[in-house]
Amino acid sequence: MAQKRKRPKSLYHRAKDNQQFQAAMTVVLPVFLGMVILVLWQTQTLHQIFHTDTFTLPLIDRIGTIFIENRAKIWENVKATMTVALIGLVLGSLLGYLIAILAAFFPKMGTGGLSVIGAFASIPVVALAPVMNNWTKGVSSDANTRSMVAKILVVMLIAAANMGLNAYRGLTELKPYALDLMAVYAAKRRTVFQKLQLPNSVPYIFVALKVSVPASIMTTIVSEYFAEYIIGVGRQIRENIVLAQYSTAWAYIATACLLGIVSYVILMVLQKILLRNYH
């Protein structure tokens, strides 16, 4: 009997099985969607859909003009926001990782610590930020310093929870044969940590950072709404909305979006470089 000829794969299945094509689509499709939204926005189609006007929802070219005209002031506020976000992210990530290590070495006490810090992080930022402002009133006589400390503490709690929970998984979810091999060699506890647990937690660190990096920026922006010192992207959004300067407010909203996107892209590039040869 003659063998049946295999039917050639359809274009859809070939595209689905092509990893390079799928990777390209993860970039092309969001960019295409964004361009469609911008076109609908600029042509006032969105205004008709949402029954709004160009005063409340300014056109893209108007927002771009405001952005260019105020770029020096915007940059000053970006630096203030990113300083708080980066300091809070670094301190929170270090704190979370230390708590994860304690939880791995001392499960009874450590898991309780993870639960507490996770509970703090579950509090809405709009509720946590004013509380931190009151707690830090005695930190300094300078309003800028007090505001910065309060905002950093809020960001730190969010980042610590993300890092602690993910790093704990990396330190404890080990392959059984790896632990058996360490037991065969009678490896000490410190050796198991350095040679097995620590390397195993590295990918989980980046998993935590994928959440913490954009979350730190957004947390900083929300915290700036309630801050005592008037600086930062979030505070400028609030002040301009109060003054009905919607074009300027939208320029700062666009800046906040760009900060989140650029920070996430930088993190992805660093992950690809640092974990290139990781197994």
Side-chain angles (χ1 to χ4, degrees):
M1 293 180 63
Q3 293 183 351
K4 291 184 179 181
R5 295 174 58 185
K6 291 184 178 180
R7 294 178 60 185
K9 288 184 177 180
S10 64
L11 181 62
Y12 170 77
H13 286 93
R14 281 184 288 173
K16 186 178 179 180
D17 296 336
N18 191 317
Q19 293 183 354
Q20 293 180 344
F21 178 80
Q22 293 297 325
M25 284 298 100
T26 60
V27 177
V28 172
L29 291 179
V31 171
F32 177 74
L33 177 60
M35 292 177 64
V36 170
I37 293 174
L38 292 178
V39 170
L40 294 176
W41 191 337
Q42 183 63 27
T43 57
Q44 299 188 35
T45 305
L46 289 182
H47 298 74
Q48 297 174 9
I49 294 173
F50 295 110
H51 304 288
T52 186
D53 51 47
T54 55
F55 177 72
T56 307
L57 185 61
L59 297 179
I60 297 297
D61 57 352
R62 174 59 179 163
I63 296 172
T65 302
I66 294 294
F67 187 90
I68 295 172
E69 291 176 351
N70 295 273
R71 58 185 180 276
K73 186 178 180 181
I74 290 174
W75 176 244
E76 180 182 349
N77 286 280
V78 165
K79 288 192 292 185
T81 297
M82 291 306 296
T83 298
V84 172
L86 288 175
I87 294 175
L89 175 65
V90 172
L91 293 179
S93 297
L94 290 175
L95 176 62
Y97 197 80
L98 288 175
I99 292 174
I101 292 175
L102 290 174
F105 274 88
F106 310 102
K108 291 184 178 180
M109 293 189 300
T111 51
L114 287 174
S115 301
V116 170
I117 202 168
F120 267 105
S122 65
I123 301 174
V125 178
V126 293
L128 191 58
V131 173
M132 288 299 176
N133 287 335
N134 290 326
W135 282 359
T136 56
K137 280 186 176 179
V139 170
S140 172
S141 58
D142 180 40
N144 186 24
T145 303
R146 292 197 301 269
S147 293
M148 181 173 287
V149 171
K151 290 181 288 188
I152 287 173
L153 287 175
V154 177
V155 177
M156 188 175 70
L157 285 174
I158 301 299
N162 290 325
M163 181 59 70
L165 295 172
N166 282 282
Y168 178 73
R169 288 182 58 199
L171 292 168
T172 55
E173 293 183 2
L174 306 172
K175 296 179 180 178
Y177 69 82
L179 289 172
D180 292 340
L181 183 62
M182 287 291 181
V184 168
Y185 285 104
K188 295 181 179 179
R189 187 71 183 85
R190 186 175 67 178
T191 304
V192 174
F193 174 74
Q194 292 177 344
K195 301 295 184 180
L196 183 60
Q197 291 179 289
L198 191 61
N200 192 71
S201 69
V202 174
Y204 292 86
I205 292 175
F206 281 95
V207 171
L209 290 176
K210 287 179 183 179
V211 178
S212 295
V213 168
S216 296
I217 296 172
M218 293 302 105
T219 300
T220 303
I221 290 172
V222 174
S223 298
E224 289 169 346
Y225 273 62
F226 309 95
E228 186 178 358
Y229 196 73
I230 305 176
I231 194 169
V233 174
R235 191 54 182 259
Q236 294 304 317
I237 294 173
R238 174 190 170 183
E239 294 297 319
N240 283 284
I241 290 176
V242 170
L243 297 173
Q245 299 292 330
Y246 293 111
S247 298
T248 306
W250 274 103
Y252 279 101
I253 292 172
T255 301
C257 295
L258 287 173
L259 288 178
I261 293 170
V262 171
S263 299
Y264 190 82
V265 170
I266 292 173
L267 176 64
M268 292 298 96
V269 172
L270 289 175
Q271 179 183 3
K272 190 171 183 179
I273 293 172
L274 296 176
L275 300 185
R276 181 180 301 171
N277 299 319
Y278 187 88
H279 299 288

